[in-house]
């Protein structure tokens, strides 16, 4: 048996998926790593923890499977700041996509970029979470560390690529999130890099997602228990990978992991002005990925699980039971701010209309429903045409969450056959096209239809959700 390994570096864990020759996952291993949160909005991880997780995940594969690995592909989170010194070592922990400290320095860099007419080049308005803004924060907050930086990487998988092959590269999807890439050309914009005051030598080369960037080095192979010399495919940022793994071109795709998003792929039209959502370079040349992300999705369920002191599987069952008489409690899922359909890093969440008769199942239900309503907001911002939604990520395994999304969005929800392996499946599909491996057929699991008897309730709650969000934003702004 020949095996293609896909390393999927997520927000809280690395998933290692071993794909067999028929394109089906033969084994999946997950290794978690810690996130350090700071009181001022920081979200950090140590890149060495990613590498340790990769080694531990490989150790979890049977020896015969490790011996059968013929290629590796990489996918993972993006819009990070992974600062490396001249030797390729992390200068400090990585700032994650959700690290909001860059908001304090963003206005100055935004104004310099806007003065160049950057939106037409980027395909997006500059954003406070872009990697370039994170690096500006590092320069101001930790100048000594910033002076030691020789390379900045936006993708978690880019660091793994360096450890595996010795090559410093990124992919077009992850590069979009830096905030300095010409979307049509898929290369760094010299004008924008200069306007940002950034040394262009800090930016990694951008290679196609399907490019073989190198081969597995002997030292990395020894650490992972793999044979040296197998090809490593660049892969891409997680949003693109999950879309490629989950949905046909143009179909709506919802991801529910630690964060979440609504996404679709279509041919790139560089004449379309920036909109309320984000346009990313698709792994396929000439195409774009339109995505409306949520900063907090599954993380909201995890937060409530910690507060309630219960396992998520237990809470999920209790929430499913609460569906017979759904609570009126409303949850605003802005625990770390929000980034679409509006950008507001100061906004915070809330549980409204609590009742003394309610138990934790009802409150967990409200948390899941609040995320579903936020997804509906993003669907409307994208002016999405009618049609089904393909649901992926760990949230797709819930007993009740897919149905709440179907009700909130008034759309059929098709759950991916393997919801936690869909992002890795995208990495497999990209690598398979380069390596000549078979492409697996599209498969779906459970299908959830919107319930007609809940339509009036869903419309009422959506209107209430939007009013409560507007009020929360006014309070956050100090009005």
């Amino acid at each position: 048996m020949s095996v293609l390994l896909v390393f999927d570096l997520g927000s809280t864990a690395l998933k290692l998926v071993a794909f067999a020759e028929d394109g089906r996952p033969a084994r999946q291993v997950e290794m978690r790593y810690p996130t350090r949160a700071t009181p001022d909005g920081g979200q950090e991880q140590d890149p060495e923890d990613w590498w340790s997780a990769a080694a531990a995940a490989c150790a979890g594969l049977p020896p015969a499977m490790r011996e059968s690995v013929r290629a590796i592909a990489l996918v993972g989170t993006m819009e990070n700041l992974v600062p490396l010194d001249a030797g390729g070592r992390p200068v400090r922990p990585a700032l994650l996509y959700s690290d909001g400290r860059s908001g304090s320095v963003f206005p100055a860099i935004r104004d310099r970029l806007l003065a160049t007419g950057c939106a037409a080049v980027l395909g997006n308005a500059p954003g406070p979470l872009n990697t370039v803004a994170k690096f500006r924060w590092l320069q101001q907050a930790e100048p000594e560390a910033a002076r030691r930086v020789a390379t900045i990487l936006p993708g978690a998988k880019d660091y793994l690529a360096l450890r595996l092959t010795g090559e410093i590269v990124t992919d077009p999807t992850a590069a979009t999130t830096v905030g300095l890439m010409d979307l049509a050309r898929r290369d760094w914009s010299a004008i924008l890099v200069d306007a940002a005051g950034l040394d262009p030598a800090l930016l990694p080369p951008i290679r196609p997602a399907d490019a073989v960037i190198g081969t597995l080095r002997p030292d990395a192979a020894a650490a992972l228990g793999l044979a040296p010399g197998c090809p490593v495919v660049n892969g891409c940022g997680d949003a693109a990978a999950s879309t490629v793994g989950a949905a046909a071109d143009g179909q709506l795709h919802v991801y529910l992991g630690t964060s979440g998003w609504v996404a679709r792929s279509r041919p790139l039209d560089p004449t379309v002005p920036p909109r309320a959502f984000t346009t990313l370079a698709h792994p396929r040349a000439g195409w774009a990925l339109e995505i409306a992300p949520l900063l907090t999705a599954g993380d909201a369920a995890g937060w409530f699980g910690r507060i309630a002191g219960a396992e998520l599987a237990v809470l999920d069952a209790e929430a499913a039971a609460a569906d017979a008489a759904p609570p009126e409690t409303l949850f605003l899922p802005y625990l770390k701010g929000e980034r679409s359909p509006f950008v507001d890093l100061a906004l915070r969440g809330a549980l409204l209309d609590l009742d003394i008769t309610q138990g934790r199942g009802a409150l967990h239900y409200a948390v899941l429903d609040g995320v579903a309503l936020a997804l509906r907001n993003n669907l409307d911002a994208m002016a999405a045409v009618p049609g089904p939604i393909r649901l992926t990520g760990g949230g797709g395994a819930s007993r009740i969450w897919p149905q709440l999304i179907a009700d909130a969005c008034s759309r059929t929800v098709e759950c991916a056959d393997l919801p936690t392996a869909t992002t890795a499946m995208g990495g497999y599909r990209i690598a398979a096209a380069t390596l000549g491996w078979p492409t697996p057929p599209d498969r779906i699991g459970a299908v959830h239809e919107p319930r007609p008897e809940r339509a009036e309730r869903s419309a009422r709650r959506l209107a209430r959700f939007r009013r409560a969000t507007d009020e929360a934003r006014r309070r956050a702004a100090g009005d």
Side-chain angles (χ1 to χ4, degrees):
M1 178 179 72
S2 296
V3 170
L4 193 158
L5 283 186
V6 179
F7 290 90
D8 172 13
L9 285 98
S11 299
T12 58
L14 178 143
K15 296 183 182 71
L16 177 64
V17 183
F19 288 89
E21 292 168 286
D22 61 359
R24 292 285 291 178
R27 185 68 65 95
Q28 179 172 320
V29 182
E30 180 173 318
M31 291 292 166
R32 299 181 70 84
Y33 31 72
T35 300
R36 175 178 173 264
T38 65
D40 56 350
Q43 296 280 317
E44 300 179 351
Q45 287 176 358
D46 186 345
E48 286 301 299
D49 288 340
W50 303 337
W51 177 247
S52 297
C58 283
L61 297 176
M65 187 171 286
R66 292 200 300 272
E67 294 170 1
S68 301
V69 172
R70 300 292 178 262
I72 292 171
L74 307 172
V75 298
T77 62
M78 51 192 180
E79 206 167 24
N80 307 301
L81 171 65
V82 186
L84 305 179
D85 65 15
R89 297 174 294 270
V91 168
R92 70 177 311 284
L95 278 65
L96 302 185
Y97 63 91
S98 53
D99 193 306
R101 291 174 290 187
S102 50
S104 62
V105 303
F106 173 63
I109 195 168
R110 175 198 61 203
D111 294 345
R112 294 181 65 175
L113 291 172
L114 288 176
T116 69
C118 67
V121 177
L122 297 173
N124 302 286
L129 298 178
N130 287 163
T131 302
V132 64
K134 290 183 170 69
F135 186 65
R136 178 56 55 85
W137 174 86
L138 185 66
Q139 288 177 311
Q140 294 191 11
E142 301 176 13
E144 291 188 11
R147 280 192 289 270
R148 294 167 49 213
V149 176
T151 302
I152 57 177
L153 298 176
K157 61 94 182 166
D158 299 336
Y159 180 73
L160 196 58
L162 174 61
R163 294 297 299 264
L164 294 173
T165 69
E167 298 294 324
I168 293 177
V169 297
T170 191
D171 67 277
T173 305
T176 312
T177 67
V178 174
L180 298 173
M181 190 187 80
D182 184 320
L183 186 63
R185 291 177 49 245
R186 295 181 172 231
D187 201 359
W188 305 117
S189 165
I191 293 174
L192 299 186
V193 172
D194 181 67
L198 194 70
D199 180 354
L202 293 171
L203 297 170
I206 302 171
R207 298 282 305 279
D210 60 359
V212 175
I213 58 174
T215 58
L216 186 61
R217 299 192 308 180
D219 60 332
L224 301 180
L226 305 176
C230 71
V232 178
V233 178
N234 194 15
C236 60
D238 52 2
S242 66
T243 302
V244 170
D249 292 335
Q251 182 181 357
L252 289 168
H253 154 230
V254 167
Y255 175 79
L256 281 179
T258 302
S259 61
W261 55 73
V262 180
R264 64 188 172 202
S265 54
R266 57 177 55 187
L268 174 65
D269 182 355
T271 66
V272 174
R275 291 167 288 191
F277 47 88
T278 300
T279 301
L280 302 172
H282 192 279
R284 186 194 313 178
W287 279 63
L289 174 67
E290 297 177 342
I291 179 169
L294 305 179
L295 277 177
T296 309
D299 220 9
W303 162 80
F304 184 74
R306 293 190 298 274
I307 297 297
E311 295 292 328
L312 286 180
V314 174
L315 291 173
D316 193 65
E318 293 178 359
D323 186 58
E328 288 302 312
T329 300
L330 189 70
F331 176 65
L332 305 184
Y334 310 121
L335 301 179
K336 295 180 285 190
E338 192 52 282
R339 60 181 309 175
S340 63
F342 51 82
V343 177
D344 192 337
L345 300 183
L347 182 63
R348 286 298 178 265
L351 273 167
L352 307 175
D353 294 332
L354 293 168
D355 189 291
I356 198 169
T357 64
Q358 291 171 336
R360 64 186 187 185
L363 298 185
H364 190 66
Y365 184 100
V367 168
L368 303 184
D369 195 38
V371 174
L373 291 167
L375 290 171
R376 170 61 185 269
N377 258 356
N378 281 346
L379 277 172
D380 290 352
M382 296 178 79
V385 297
I389 296 170
R390 185 66 57 87
L391 178 61
T392 69
S398 166
R399 301 187 191 187
I400 187 63
W401 214 349
Q403 184 61 60
L404 296 181
I405 294 171
D407 292 339
C409 298
S410 300
R411 292 172 183 261
T412 301
V413 170
E414 303 169 344
C415 294
D417 182 34
L418 299 167
T420 61
T422 307
T423 306
M425 176 62 79
Y428 172 86
R429 290 181 187 273
I430 291 167
T434 292
L435 302 171
W437 286 49
T439 300
D442 184 35
R443 294 183 176 93
I444 60 173
V447 176
H448 300 264
E449 301 289 348
R451 295 175 287 189
E453 69 274 16
R454 294 288 176 93
E456 182 178 348
R457 179 181 186 274
S458 295
R460 173 171 48 81
R461 286 180 65 77
L462 178 63
R464 187 160 154 254
F465 179 87
R466 289 172 171 168
R467 290 194 302 270
T469 294
D470 289 344
E471 175 59 28
R473 294 192 67 194
R474 286 193 293 270
R475 288 198 305 271
D479 295 345

